[in-house]
Amino acid sequence: MRGVVFDGEQIQVVDDLEVREPGPGEVLVAISAAGLCHSDLSVVDGTIPFPVPVVLGHEGAGVVEAVGVGVTHVSPGDHVALSTLANCGTCAECDRGRPTMCRQAIGRPGKPFSRGGKPVYQFASNSAFAERTVVKAVQAVRIPKDIPMPSAALIGCGVLTGVGAVLNRARVGLGESVVVIGTGGIGLNVLQGARIAGALTIVAVDANPGKEAVAREFGATHFLTSVEGVREILPDGADHAFECVGRVELIRQAVDLLDRHGQAVLLGVPPATAEASFLVSSMYLDKSILGCRYGSSRPQRDIALYAQLYREGRLLLDELVTETYPVEDFEKAAGDAEAGRVARGVLTF
């Protein structure tokens, strides 16, 4: 079968990939569409260290082909969106509703694939850039069949991360103010999360002025090409500032933009050894710097919720899909993503 494999030196679209059958508590999914996220490219450039060879992709949707023993919540033929959280479901963190903190879901890459008889790693417990993948049952969330697959694919990472950061981690309140630095796939979802939460002032900041129209479509009330004008809109600062790029100087700017009791939420992914600085004295008025993994999401709950919000016209998905590419055009899709020409490119099988 076809898949996108990174061997540590180059990316290839191969046709000789194999995947094993699902074991107990697992699901085999035929991937229909998969979003190309910058995290996939970060594996290639070394920003996210990961063992190789690896099948890339982590934002996918497809159709259940087979289920392992003990799986009852999905059946062959069901449409599913996939999460990256291979959480155990039984530890203390899972039990208190914090599956993103499950230690079984962090740093334990599996090898369900093989190529030429040699094992191949699975990225983010998902590997959606393959015609078929095997995931834990908890990662497959049934969705209505009327949701287009390219749109459904984006729920599993960009939407869970961006909207979840607003609703689950920051808990933005009605009438509060939000600044979003970076309006790529994650930033756009932060914008619409803030809109859904009822934020009054939503300032989008992106160096590319061509992104203003889409930023406003997703919920921005103001658009700036730098943070310098934020204080003119919010003289006292912002209740919430989200850094969605992954640059340490922008993290500092997010912190400096906060009002009293404000929160800076870090969503962008800088290199693993990157260090950021802030004025300690600026933090004493109950300000906070919050890390956020995967939107502090609970995928079985949140994916179903976001699917319903989409069907009601309250959450935008179709508008996120800038362009679709057959998997054979991965190189073009990656180039468009790197150049910022697309909010989200989607590979199709």
Side-chain angles (χ1 to χ4, degrees):
M1 69 178 187
R2 293 170 297 166
V4 179
V5 177
F6 176 57
D7 64 6
E9 296 183 359
Q10 63 177 344
I11 304 173
Q12 290 181 290
V13 180
V14 304
D15 60 8
D16 58 350
L17 196 64
E18 297 181 359
V19 65
R20 62 172 173 77
E21 292 297 312
E26 294 181 332
V27 178
L28 175 67
V29 178
I31 298 295
S32 299
L36 176 55
C37 175
H38 276 281
S39 294
D40 300 303
L41 302 178
S42 292
V43 174
V44 178
D45 66 22
T47 301
I48 297 178
F50 206 87
V52 294
V54 57
V55 179
L56 297 174
H58 64 285
E59 187 178 66
V63 180
V64 175
E65 280 203 348
V67 300
V69 174
V71 178
T72 59
H73 76 292
V74 293
S75 304
D78 284 344
H79 287 202
V80 293
L82 302 182
S83 85
T84 68
L85 279 184
N87 58 295
C88 70
T90 59
C91 70
E93 299 294 349
C94 287
D95 193 50
R96 60 171 59 110
R98 299 194 301 200
T100 56
M101 296 297 102
C102 174
R103 284 176 169 78
Q104 296 295 321
I106 301 174
R108 296 172 181 259
K111 300 177 184 178
F113 301 100
S114 62
R115 187 178 177 219
K118 297 182 180 179
V120 179
Y121 284 100
Q122 184 175 42
F123 178 54
S125 302
N126 190 307
S127 289
F129 293 168
E131 288 189 84
R132 290 172 182 79
T133 190
V134 170
V135 297
K136 292 184 67 171
V138 72
Q139 295 176 254
V141 184
R142 188 170 59 245
I143 57 174
K145 292 184 178 180
D146 59 358
I147 300 180
M149 285 293 190
S151 298
L154 304 186
I155 302 176
C157 177
V159 176
L160 278 181
T161 300
V163 178
V166 174
L167 302 182
N168 299 329
R169 185 66 169 127
R171 298 183 181 274
V172 172
L174 184 67
E176 293 186 328
S177 58
V178 171
V179 174
V180 181
I181 301 175
T183 60
I186 299 300
L188 289 177
N189 280 296
V190 174
L191 288 172
Q192 70 171 332
R195 170 177 53 77
I196 291 168
L200 182 62
T201 304
I202 306 173
V203 183
V205 180
D206 198 293
N208 182 355
K211 293 186 176 183
E212 179 174 0
V214 69
R216 289 185 179 277
E217 180 181 15
F218 275 75
T221 60
H222 300 75
F223 183 90
L224 301 170
T225 54
S226 76
V227 299
E228 293 178 5
V230 171
R231 289 285 179 175
E232 295 180 15
I233 301 167
L234 299 169
D236 294 327
D239 295 312
H240 309 274
F242 295 82
E243 200 284 333
C244 305
V245 180
R247 289 167 46 188
V248 294
E249 65 271 23
L250 298 181
I251 292 173
R252 172 60 184 268
Q253 290 175 3
V255 174
D256 289 346
L257 287 172
L258 297 178
D259 192 2
R260 299 183 179 194
H261 206 271
Q263 299 179 138
V265 184
L266 310 187
L267 295 175
V269 182
T273 57
E275 297 183 1
S277 64
F278 59 91
L279 289 174
V280 176
S281 60
S282 73
M283 302 300 294
Y284 289 118
L285 294 174
D286 284 1
K287 298 180 185 181
S288 304
I289 301 172
L290 304 180
C292 183
R293 181 172 189 246
Y294 203 40
S296 300
S297 60
R298 293 162 288 177
Q300 285 290 335
R301 171 191 178 275
D302 291 350
I303 289 177
L305 171 63
Y306 300 154
Q308 188 58 37
L309 288 172
Y310 164 79
R311 297 177 84 199
E312 294 178 359
R314 298 169 61 190
L315 181 117
L316 305 181
L317 290 179
D318 303 339
E319 295 81 357
L320 282 168
V321 183
T322 311
E323 189 167 348
T324 59
Y325 309 80
V327 67
E328 290 79 7
D329 287 348
F330 176 82
E331 186 174 341
K332 182 179 187 305
D336 287 347
E338 287 276 30
R341 290 188 288 267
V342 294
R344 229 7 163 235
V346 176
L347 301 180
T348 57
F349 290 87

